Each structure stands twice: as C-alpha cells, then as structure tokens.
Coordinates of all heavy atoms in Angstrom, one line a residue:
G1 N 323.9 -27.3 207.5 CA 325.3 -26.8 207.4 C 325.4 -25.7 206.4 O 326.1 -25.8 205.4
N2 N 324.7 -24.6 206.7 CA 324.8 -23.4 205.7 C 325.5 -22.3 206.3 O 325.9 -22.3 207.5 CB 323.4 -23.0 205.3 CG 322.5 -22.6 206.5 OD1 323.0 -22.5 207.6 ND2 321.2 -22.5 206.3
L3 N 325.7 -21.2 205.5 CA 326.3 -20.0 206.0 C 325.4 -18.9 205.6 O 325.0 -18.8 204.4 CB 327.7 -19.8 205.3 CG 328.4 -18.5 205.4 CD1 328.7 -18.1 206.8 CD2 329.6 -18.4 204.5
V4 N 325.1 -18.0 206.5 CA 324.2 -16.8 206.2 C 325.0 -15.5 206.7 O 325.4 -15.5 207.8 CB 322.9 -16.9 206.9 CG1 322.0 -15.7 206.7 CG2 322.1 -18.2 206.5
I5 N 325.1 -14.6 205.8 CA 325.7 -13.3 206.0 C 324.6 -12.2 205.9 O 324.1 -12.0 204.7 CB 326.9 -13.0 205.1 CG1 327.9 -14.2 205.2 CG2 327.6 -11.7 205.5 CD1 329.0 -14.1 204.1
S6 N 324.3 -11.6 206.9 CA 323.1 -10.6 206.9 C 323.7 -9.2 206.9 O 324.6 -8.8 207.6 CB 322.3 -10.8 208.2 OG 321.8 -12.1 208.3
G7 N 323.1 -8.4 206.0 CA 323.5 -7.0 205.8 C 322.3 -6.0 205.8 O 321.1 -6.5 205.9
T8 N 322.6 -4.8 205.7 CA 321.5 -3.8 205.8 C 320.7 -3.6 204.5 O 319.7 -3.0 204.5 CB 322.1 -2.4 206.2 OG1 323.2 -2.1 205.2 CG2 322.7 -2.4 207.6
K9 N 321.2 -4.2 203.4 CA 320.5 -4.2 202.1 C 320.0 -5.5 201.7 O 319.1 -5.6 200.8 CB 321.4 -3.6 201.0 CG 321.8 -2.1 201.3 CD 322.7 -1.7 200.1 CE 323.2 -0.2 200.3 NZ 324.1 0.2 199.2
G10 N 320.5 -6.6 202.2 CA 320.2 -7.9 201.8 C 321.0 -8.9 202.6 O 321.7 -8.6 203.5
Y11 N 321.0 -10.2 202.1 CA 321.8 -11.2 202.8 C 322.3 -12.2 201.7 O 321.8 -12.3 200.6 CB 321.1 -11.9 203.9 CG 319.9 -12.8 203.4 CD1 320.2 -14.2 203.4 CD2 318.7 -12.3 203.2 CE1 319.1 -15.1 203.0 CE2 317.6 -13.2 202.8 CZ 317.9 -14.6 202.7 OH 316.9 -15.4 202.3
V12 N 323.4 -12.9 202.1 CA 324.0 -14.0 201.3 C 323.6 -15.3 202.0 O 323.8 -15.5 203.2 CB 325.5 -13.8 201.2 CG1 326.1 -15.0 200.5 CG2 325.8 -12.5 200.4
Y13 N 323.1 -16.2 201.2 CA 322.8 -17.6 201.6 C 323.7 -18.5 200.9 O 323.7 -18.6 199.6 CB 321.4 -17.9 201.4 CG 321.0 -19.3 201.7 CD1 320.9 -19.8 203.0 CD2 320.8 -20.2 200.6 CE1 320.6 -21.1 203.2 CE2 320.5 -21.6 200.9 CZ 320.4 -22.0 202.2 OH 320.1 -23.3 202.5
V14 N 324.5 -19.3 201.6 CA 325.4 -20.3 201.0 C 324.8 -21.7 201.5 O 324.9 -21.9 202.7 CB 326.9 -20.1 201.4 CG1 327.7 -21.1 200.6 CG2 327.3 -18.7 201.2
P15 N 324.3 -22.5 200.7 CA 323.6 -23.7 201.1 C 324.6 -24.8 201.6 O 325.8 -24.7 201.3 CB 322.9 -24.2 199.9 CG 323.7 -23.6 198.7 CD 324.2 -22.3 199.2
A16 N 324.1 -25.7 202.3 CA 324.9 -26.8 202.9 C 325.4 -27.7 201.7 O 324.6 -27.9 200.7 CB 324.1 -27.6 203.9
P17 N 326.6 -28.2 201.8 CA 327.6 -27.9 202.8 C 328.4 -26.6 202.3 O 329.1 -26.7 201.3 CB 328.5 -29.1 202.8 CG 328.4 -29.7 201.4 CD 327.0 -29.4 200.9
W18 N 328.2 -25.6 203.0 CA 328.8 -24.3 202.6 C 330.3 -24.3 202.4 O 330.8 -23.5 201.5 CB 328.4 -23.2 203.5 CG 329.1 -23.2 204.8 CD1 328.7 -23.8 206.0 CD2 330.4 -22.6 205.1 NE1 329.6 -23.6 207.0 CE2 330.7 -22.9 206.5 CE3 331.3 -21.9 204.4 CZ2 331.8 -22.5 207.1 CZ3 332.5 -21.5 205.0 CH2 332.7 -21.8 206.3
W19 N 331.0 -25.1 203.1 CA 332.5 -25.1 203.1 C 333.0 -25.7 201.8 O 334.2 -25.5 201.5 CB 333.1 -25.8 204.3 CG 332.6 -27.2 204.4 CD1 333.1 -28.3 203.9 CD2 331.4 -27.6 205.2 NE1 332.3 -29.4 204.3 CE2 331.3 -29.0 205.1 CE3 330.4 -26.9 205.9 CZ2 330.3 -29.7 205.7 CZ3 329.4 -27.6 206.5 CH2 329.3 -29.0 206.4
K20 N 332.2 -26.3 201.0 CA 332.6 -26.8 199.7 C 331.6 -26.5 198.6 O 331.3 -27.3 197.7 CB 333.0 -28.3 199.7 CG 331.9 -29.2 200.2 CD 332.4 -30.7 200.1 CE 331.3 -31.6 200.5 NZ 331.8 -33.0 200.4
T21 N 331.0 -25.4 198.7 CA 329.9 -25.0 197.7 C 330.5 -24.6 196.4 O 331.6 -24.1 196.3 CB 329.0 -23.9 198.3 OG1 327.9 -23.7 197.4 CG2 329.8 -22.6 198.4
D22 N 329.7 -24.8 195.4 CA 330.0 -24.2 194.0 C 329.1 -23.1 193.6 O 329.2 -22.6 192.5 CB 330.0 -25.3 193.0 CG 328.6 -26.0 192.9 OD1 327.7 -25.6 193.7 OD2 328.5 -26.9 192.0
Y23 N 328.2 -22.7 194.6 CA 327.4 -21.5 194.3 C 326.9 -20.9 195.6 O 326.8 -21.5 196.6 CB 326.2 -21.8 193.3 CG 325.0 -22.3 194.0 CD1 323.9 -21.5 194.3 CD2 324.9 -23.7 194.4 CE1 322.8 -21.9 194.9 CE2 323.7 -24.1 195.0 CZ 322.7 -23.3 195.3 OH 321.5 -23.7 195.9
F24 N 326.4 -19.6 195.5 CA 325.8 -19.0 196.6 C 324.7 -18.0 196.0 O 324.7 -17.7 194.8 CB 326.8 -18.3 197.5 CG 327.6 -17.3 196.9 CD1 327.2 -16.0 196.6 CD2 328.9 -17.6 196.4 CE1 328.0 -15.0 196.0 CE2 329.7 -16.7 195.8 CZ 329.3 -15.4 195.6
E25 N 323.9 -17.5 196.9 CA 322.8 -16.6 196.5 C 322.9 -15.3 197.2 O 323.1 -15.3 198.4 CB 321.4 -17.2 196.7 CG 321.2 -18.6 195.9 CD 319.9 -19.2 196.3 OE1 318.9 -18.4 196.6 OE2 319.8 -20.4 196.2
V26 N 322.7 -14.2 196.5 CA 322.5 -12.9 197.1 C 321.0 -12.6 197.1 O 320.4 -12.6 196.0 CB 323.3 -11.8 196.4 CG1 323.1 -10.4 197.1 CG2 324.8 -12.1 196.5
R27 N 320.4 -12.4 198.2 CA 318.9 -12.2 198.3 C 318.6 -10.8 198.9 O 319.2 -10.3 199.8 CB 318.3 -13.3 199.2 CG 318.5 -14.7 198.6 CD 318.0 -15.8 199.6 NE 318.1 -17.1 199.0 CZ 317.7 -18.2 199.6 NH1 317.3 -18.2 200.9 NH2 317.8 -19.4 199.0
Y28 N 317.5 -10.3 198.4 CA 317.0 -9.0 198.8 C 315.5 -9.0 199.2 O 314.8 -10.0 198.9 CB 317.2 -8.0 197.6 CG 318.7 -7.8 197.2 CD1 319.2 -8.5 196.2 CD2 319.5 -6.9 198.0 CE1 320.5 -8.3 195.8 CE2 320.8 -6.8 197.6 CZ 321.3 -7.5 196.5 OH 322.6 -7.3 196.1
E29 N 315.0 -7.9 199.7 CA 313.6 -7.8 200.0 C 312.8 -8.0 198.7 O 311.8 -8.7 198.8 CB 313.3 -6.4 200.7 CG 311.9 -6.3 201.2 CD 311.7 -7.1 202.5 OE1 312.7 -7.5 203.1 OE2 310.5 -7.3 202.8
D30 N 313.2 -7.3 197.7 CA 312.6 -7.5 196.4 C 313.2 -8.8 195.7 O 314.4 -8.7 195.2 CB 312.8 -6.3 195.5 CG 312.2 -6.4 194.1 OD1 311.6 -7.5 193.8 OD2 312.4 -5.5 193.3
Q31 N 312.5 -9.9 195.7 CA 313.1 -11.1 195.2 C 313.5 -11.1 193.7 O 314.3 -11.9 193.3 CB 312.1 -12.3 195.4 CG 311.8 -12.5 196.9 CD 310.9 -13.7 197.1 OE1 310.6 -14.5 196.2 NE2 310.5 -13.9 198.3
N32 N 312.9 -10.1 193.0 CA 313.3 -10.0 191.6 C 314.8 -9.6 191.4 O 315.4 -9.7 190.3 CB 312.4 -8.9 190.9 CG 311.0 -9.4 190.8 OD1 310.7 -10.6 190.5 ND2 310.0 -8.5 191.0
Q33 N 315.4 -9.0 192.5 CA 316.8 -8.6 192.4 C 317.7 -9.7 192.8 O 319.0 -9.6 192.7 CB 317.0 -7.4 193.3 CG 316.2 -6.2 192.9 CD 316.5 -5.0 193.8 OE1 317.6 -4.9 194.4 NE2 315.6 -4.0 193.9
N34 N 317.2 -10.8 193.3 CA 318.0 -11.9 193.8 C 318.9 -12.5 192.7 O 318.5 -12.5 191.5 CB 317.2 -13.1 194.3 CG 316.5 -12.7 195.6 OD1 316.6 -11.6 196.1 ND2 315.7 -13.7 196.1
K35 N 320.1 -12.9 193.0 CA 321.0 -13.4 192.0 C 321.8 -14.6 192.6 O 322.3 -14.6 193.7 CB 322.0 -12.3 191.6 CG 322.9 -12.7 190.4 CD 323.7 -11.5 189.9 CE 324.5 -11.9 188.7 NZ 325.3 -10.8 188.1
K36 N 322.0 -15.6 191.7 CA 322.8 -16.8 192.1 C 324.2 -16.7 191.4 O 324.3 -16.3 190.2 CB 322.1 -18.1 191.7 CG 320.8 -18.3 192.4 CD 320.2 -19.7 192.0 CE 319.0 -19.9 192.8 NZ 318.3 -21.2 192.4
Y37 N 325.2 -17.1 192.1 CA 326.6 -17.1 191.5 C 327.1 -18.5 191.5 O 327.1 -19.2 192.6 CB 327.5 -16.2 192.4 CG 327.1 -14.7 192.3 CD1 326.1 -14.2 193.1 CD2 327.8 -13.8 191.4 CE1 325.7 -12.9 193.0 CE2 327.4 -12.5 191.4 CZ 326.4 -12.0 192.2 OH 326.1 -10.7 192.1
F38 N 327.6 -19.0 190.4 CA 328.2 -20.3 190.3 C 329.7 -20.3 190.0 O 330.1 -19.5 189.2 CB 327.4 -21.0 189.1 CG 326.0 -21.3 189.4 CD1 325.0 -20.3 189.1 CD2 325.5 -22.5 190.0 CE1 323.7 -20.5 189.3 CE2 324.2 -22.7 190.2 CZ 323.3 -21.7 189.9
Y39 N 330.4 -21.2 190.6 CA 331.8 -21.3 190.5 C 332.3 -22.7 190.5 O 331.6 -23.6 191.0 CB 332.5 -20.5 191.6 CG 332.2 -19.0 191.7 CD1 331.2 -18.6 192.5 CD2 332.9 -18.1 190.9 CE1 330.9 -17.2 192.5 CE2 332.7 -16.8 190.9 CZ 331.6 -16.3 191.7 OH 331.3 -15.0 191.7
P40 N 333.4 -23.0 189.9 CA 333.9 -24.4 189.9 C 334.3 -24.9 191.3 O 334.8 -24.2 192.1 CB 335.1 -24.4 189.0 CG 335.6 -23.0 189.1 CD 334.4 -22.1 189.2
Y41 N 334.0 -26.2 191.5 CA 334.5 -26.9 192.7 C 334.9 -28.3 192.2 O 334.0 -29.1 192.1 CB 333.5 -26.9 193.9 CG 334.1 -27.5 195.1 CD1 334.6 -26.7 196.1 CD2 334.0 -28.9 195.3 CE1 335.1 -27.3 197.3 CE2 334.5 -29.5 196.5 CZ 335.1 -28.7 197.5 OH 335.6 -29.2 198.6
V42 N 336.1 -28.5 191.8 CA 336.5 -29.7 191.1 C 337.0 -30.7 192.0 O 337.8 -30.4 193.0 CB 337.5 -29.3 190.0 CG1 337.9 -30.6 189.1 CG2 337.1 -28.2 189.1
G43 N 336.7 -32.0 191.8 CA 337.2 -33.0 192.6 C 336.8 -32.9 194.1 O 335.7 -32.5 194.4
D44 N 337.8 -33.1 195.0 CA 337.5 -33.0 196.4 C 337.9 -31.6 196.9 O 337.8 -31.3 198.1 CB 338.4 -34.0 197.2 CG 337.8 -35.4 197.1 OD1 336.6 -35.6 197.3 OD2 338.6 -36.3 196.9

C-alpha cells in the first residue's frame, strides 16, 4: 500500500499505508542526496 511519484530527476516514495503516513522519502540516483521528511499524524 505505497505511493510512488516518478520524475526526471528522482522519485518520491511514500511507504504503506501511504494515505496516513507521517513521513516520505525523496530519492535520487545518488543516494547521498536522498532525504526523509517527517510530519505529525496525530490520533486517527
């Protein structure tokens, strides 16, 4: 149950269950540039 958004420079991976995630990752060919983003998802 994930979400993947593919682009010409990299892609975004939102892990399962993506519809109530509290973080996602931006990934590139050079893995050193990858970044994770964290946000609140409180309660339900």
Side-chain angles (χ1 to χ4, degrees):
N2 59 11
L3 168 66
V4 178
I5 306 172
S6 303
T8 55
K9 295 179 180 179
Y11 71 98
V12 173
Y13 173 74
V14 190
W18 71 266
W19 54 91
K20 59 178 182 178
T21 187
D22 57 0
Y23 88 98
F24 57 84
E25 302 177 28
V26 179
R27 297 175 175 177
Y28 299 97
E29 188 72 20
D30 179 2
Q31 296 184 11
N32 293 320
Q33 297 181 24
N34 292 359
K35 188 172 181 180
K36 294 182 178 181
Y37 294 82
F38 295 86
Y39 298 93
Y41 185 92
V42 186
D44 285 316

